[in-house]
Amino acid sequence: MRETGTPRRIGLLGGTFDPVHIGHLRGALEVSEMVGLDEVRLVPNFRPPHREAPNSSAQDRLTMVRLAVQDLPPLTVDARELERDKPSYTLDTLESLRAELNDDDQIFLIVGWDAFCGLPTWHRWDELLDHCHILVMQRPDADSEPPEALRDLLAARSVNDPLTIAGSSGQIAFVWQAPLGVSATRIRHFLASGRSVRFLVPDAVLAYINAHGLYRASN
Ligand code: ATP
C-alpha cells in the first residue's frame, strides 16, 4: 500500500488491443480529461492463442500499447493480466490493484456501452462496485436501453455527473463521446488486404506492425 497523501484517481481500460488504435487512445484521453483522472491504465487482456485469424501475440500487443502511450501522460500500461499467463477476471485485477493502493484512492473501470450491457455475465459481477466506480463510455448514437438485469443497479448506483462521484468505489456514471468509427477488427482486415492503416494507429505502432509483418494474411 502507498504512503498516505492525496487520494489518486486511476482509470482502467481493459481490451485485447489487437492492435491498439486511436479509438482506444482518444477514448481514454477524453475520459481522463472529462473526469479529471490522474492516470488511465490500459490493461491488455490475456487471450488464448487463436488459429484462424491473423492476430498478434500477447508480447506484440503489449509492446504496441507501450509504444502507443509513451510520452502520453496520463496514459500508462498495466501488464498484470498478461503476466498471469491465463485469463483473468476483472474482479481479480481490481482486487490486486486495490491491494496496492490506499483505501481512499479511487479506481474507475472504463467500459464501452456494449461491454457494460454484458456486465451480468461477468464473474461475480455484483462485487465489482465494491472495488471501483464504473464509467460507461456512451455514444450519442448508441442504444440507450440497458438490459433488465442492470436496471436496479443503475437506479441505485448511477449519478448524472461523473464529477460528483465520491468515495473510493460504488458508483456508475456515463461519459458521452463523439464516436470514432475505428475498430481493431477493421484495422486487421485492412492490413490483411494490404491497405494502409496510417492515422488509425500511432506512427510508432504502425512502424512496429510493419517491422514485424503483423496481421498479414499469410501469418
Ligand atoms: P475488436 O475489433 O478486435 O473487437 P476493439 O477495437 O473493439 O477490438 P478492444 O480491445 O476490444 O478493441 O476494446 C477495448 C475497449 O476499447 C472496449 O471498452 C471498447 O469499447 C473500447 N473501444 C474500442 N474501439 C473504440 C472506439 N472506436 N472508440 C471508443 N472506444 C473504443
Side-chain angles (χ1 to χ4, degrees):
M1 194 182 284
R2 274 187 329 122
E3 305 256 316
T4 316
T6 316
R8 282 199 293 172
R9 292 161 67 77
I10 298 174
L12 289 185
L13 176 64
T16 45
F17 303 119
D18 190 18
V20 62
H21 56 68
I22 57 165
H24 303 129
L25 300 167
R26 281 299 317 166
L29 272 181
E30 287 192 27
V31 171
S32 164
E33 288 180 345
M34 276 188 275
V35 184
L37 302 181
D38 297 311
E39 181 184 353
V40 178
R41 300 186 184 196
L42 275 60
V43 187
N45 302 147
F46 180 84
R47 196 206 44 211
H50 217 258
R51 289 264 184 84
E52 65 269 24
N55 294 341
S56 57
S57 68
Q59 193 54 52
D60 284 334
R61 291 185 292 120
L62 176 60
T63 303
M64 289 188 282
V65 178
R66 287 198 165 127
L67 288 168
V69 305
Q70 66 186 355
D71 307 321
L72 195 60
L75 306 194
T76 61
V77 184
D78 188 319
R80 77 185 66 215
E81 294 195 4
L82 298 182
E83 284 156 3
R84 299 190 60 210
D85 208 32
K86 62 175 188 185
S88 315
Y89 294 114
T90 299
L91 192 71
D92 299 332
T93 301
L94 290 169
E95 282 177 346
S96 98
L97 177 60
R98 221 349 124 201
E100 298 167 8
L101 302 177
N102 282 348
D103 289 347
D104 56 355
D105 287 335
Q106 295 178 303
I107 302 176
F108 295 85
L109 184 66
I110 303 167
V111 294
W113 169 251
D114 290 356
F116 179 68
C117 288
L119 210 68
T121 64
W122 292 20
H123 178 64
R124 290 161 57 193
W125 70 283
D126 50 341
E127 294 173 43
L128 294 168
L129 284 169
D130 294 342
H131 304 285
C132 66
H133 299 293
I134 297 179
L135 295 175
V136 186
M137 291 192 287
Q138 179 63 295
R139 297 164 170 204
D141 57 345
D143 177 4
S144 56
E145 274 304 303
E148 185 70 39
L150 289 175
R151 295 230 175 100
D152 289 347
L153 185 79
L154 279 168
R157 303 299 193 101
S158 65
V159 297
N160 285 331
D161 181 354
L163 293 174
T164 64
I165 284 181
S168 58
S169 62
Q171 296 188 297
I172 303 170
F174 289 82
V175 283
W176 297 83
Q177 291 193 317
L180 268 181
V182 51
S183 70
T185 303
R186 190 143 167 250
I187 288 170
R188 292 193 300 273
H189 285 157
F190 273 26
L191 287 163
S193 56
R195 293 177 64 181
S196 169
V197 296
R198 184 98 203 268
F199 308 122
L200 296 178
V201 300
D203 285 347
V205 172
L206 181 56
Y208 186 90
I209 288 172
N210 288 337
H212 294 82
L214 302 184
Y215 307 112
R216 304 292 175 222
S218 56
N219 278 2

